[in-house]
Amino acid sequence: MNDQIKAYFVSDIHLGSVNEPNFILFHQWLQNLKATHLFLMGDIFDLWIGEHEYFKDKYKLIIDELIRLAKEGTKIHYFEGNHDLYLKSYWQNELGFKVHEQAEYFQLGKWVIRAEHGDQVDPEDRGYIFLRWFLRTRFMRFIAKNLPQSLVVKIGEKASESSRHYTSEVKSITTEKTREKLHIHAEKAYKEKAFDWLIYGHVHVKDEYYIQVGDKKVGAFNLGTWLKEPLVFCLEDSGGYLSKVSGLGTTTST
Ligand SMILES: [Mn+2]
């Protein structure tokens, strides 16, 4: 075992049924993955709420691969998105992965990483900020845990659908505006606490931005969404890059 890092970041896959091309692609990619770290950056599943059996059954193939990877030494982190919520009880307490609800910093080799889902990027999005707070109240956690599973799935699917419409609507009208907001967020976050890489998703807009700091450049990369293009971010000691996932788990530089 050497000290070299090979960390992968994926976001906004929005996995639905097991027959979907992206499900098969992601599953194959996991089967072939060799990584020191895997960061699931949120909205991996189009819907996952709490620890209901429905989700564990539906996504068993994916979970089995993640368990295998963890056993073989890959450190797995899962950031909650707005389609996958209340993950701690199952994903952290039972499976042993690290679950995060907001931005976190990591030291990976020589790099300092800031990672976050990205749903807190837009301070003007007051409707969503309220919803995010509301969904994480004790009351809503209680509801999600104690309602019958079939009802949780039904309500969740409706909410997931409107959230996806909301996201794509807000973002498609204003891709340029979205990019602007991402860049403002990156600059602001850097001033609060320095990092070498900022990795996020949520807005469904692939973006590679560099903050100029003296004579060095700091990367702020948005992973976009697998609904448009199956991208992963790979970080090694030599640097980081976005790469496209194609069949049989191979990745190619973009
Ligand atoms: Mn999201």
Side-chain angles (χ1 to χ4, degrees):
M1 184 76 192
N2 57 33
D3 295 318
Q4 290 189 339
I5 60 147
K6 197 165 178 85
Y8 284 93
F9 298 72
V10 291
S11 191
D12 293 83
I13 305 179
H14 288 275
L15 288 174
S17 81
V18 295
N19 309 313
E20 282 172 10
N22 273 345
F23 187 102
I24 296 159
L25 196 58
F26 184 54
H27 185 241
Q28 279 180 351
W29 183 76
L30 287 175
Q31 284 179 314
N32 290 282
L33 188 62
K34 301 258 180 290
T36 54
H37 301 78
L38 173 62
F39 291 85
L40 306 167
M41 298 302 304
D43 293 357
I44 300 304
F45 305 98
D46 203 47
L47 184 65
W48 186 299
I49 298 168
E51 49 184 330
H52 293 283
E53 293 301 322
Y54 172 84
F55 303 110
K56 296 187 216 171
D57 287 347
K58 186 168 180 182
Y59 296 117
K60 188 176 185 309
L61 283 172
I62 300 294
I63 293 160
D64 285 348
E65 281 309 311
L66 293 171
I67 291 170
R68 180 190 58 78
L69 282 164
K71 269 194 191 135
E72 288 169 12
T74 304
K75 294 199 170 64
I76 299 177
H77 294 262
Y78 196 160
F79 282 73
E80 290 190 352
N82 45 310
H83 290 249
D84 30 16
L85 277 172
Y86 317 125
L87 300 181
K88 267 197 176 150
S89 57
Y90 179 62
W91 290 85
Q92 181 162 300
N93 300 343
E94 221 170 290
L95 294 180
F97 308 153
K98 199 90 183 89
V99 169
H100 310 280
E101 293 178 7
Q102 50 195 345
E104 293 284 349
Y105 288 76
F106 302 91
Q107 180 84 45
L108 299 182
K110 64 175 181 178
W111 305 114
V112 175
I113 314 297
R114 177 185 165 114
E116 61 193 301
H117 176 57
D119 55 333
Q120 292 177 297
V121 162
D122 184 357
E124 287 161 33
D125 194 351
R126 290 183 203 287
Y128 178 71
I129 288 166
F130 171 77
L131 180 65
R132 186 187 149 88
W133 167 80
F134 177 68
L135 286 173
R136 285 174 169 78
T137 56
R138 209 177 273 246
F139 171 71
M140 283 308 290
R141 281 177 205 274
F142 177 84
I143 293 286
K145 194 171 174 191
N146 292 288
L147 274 187
Q149 172 174 290
S150 58
L151 205 54
V152 169
V153 172
K154 218 173 252 171
I155 296 169
E157 277 173 353
K158 274 269 170 268
S160 169
E161 198 184 312
S162 45
S163 171
R164 219 178 321 107
H165 285 161
Y166 175 77
T167 306
S168 60
E169 225 169 84
V170 174
K171 276 74 194 183
S172 68
I173 305 167
T174 58
T175 299
E176 278 321 300
K177 193 102 189 123
T178 299
R179 289 220 159 89
E180 220 172 275
K181 282 179 174 166
L182 292 177
H183 303 166
I184 290 168
H185 172 75
E187 300 275 356
K188 185 169 165 270
Y190 186 84
K191 281 195 193 108
E192 280 165 17
K193 188 174 175 186
F195 47 78
D196 298 301
W197 300 92
L198 164 63
I199 306 301
Y200 49 1
H202 177 65
V203 294
H204 294 189
V205 174
K206 172 190 167 187
D207 190 55
E208 296 180 58
Y209 178 66
Y210 289 94
I211 303 166
Q212 191 74 42
V213 183
D215 56 0
K216 82 167 181 174
K217 281 179 172 176
V218 170
F221 285 18
N222 197 290
L223 292 163
T225 174
W226 282 40
L227 297 171
K228 292 181 192 159
E229 192 183 9
L231 292 175
V232 297
F233 177 73
C234 177
L235 184 70
E236 299 172 350
D237 294 294
S238 55
Y241 53 92
L242 285 178
S243 97
K244 190 170 171 168
V245 177
S246 45
L248 295 172
T250 53
T251 48
T252 49
S253 274
T254 53

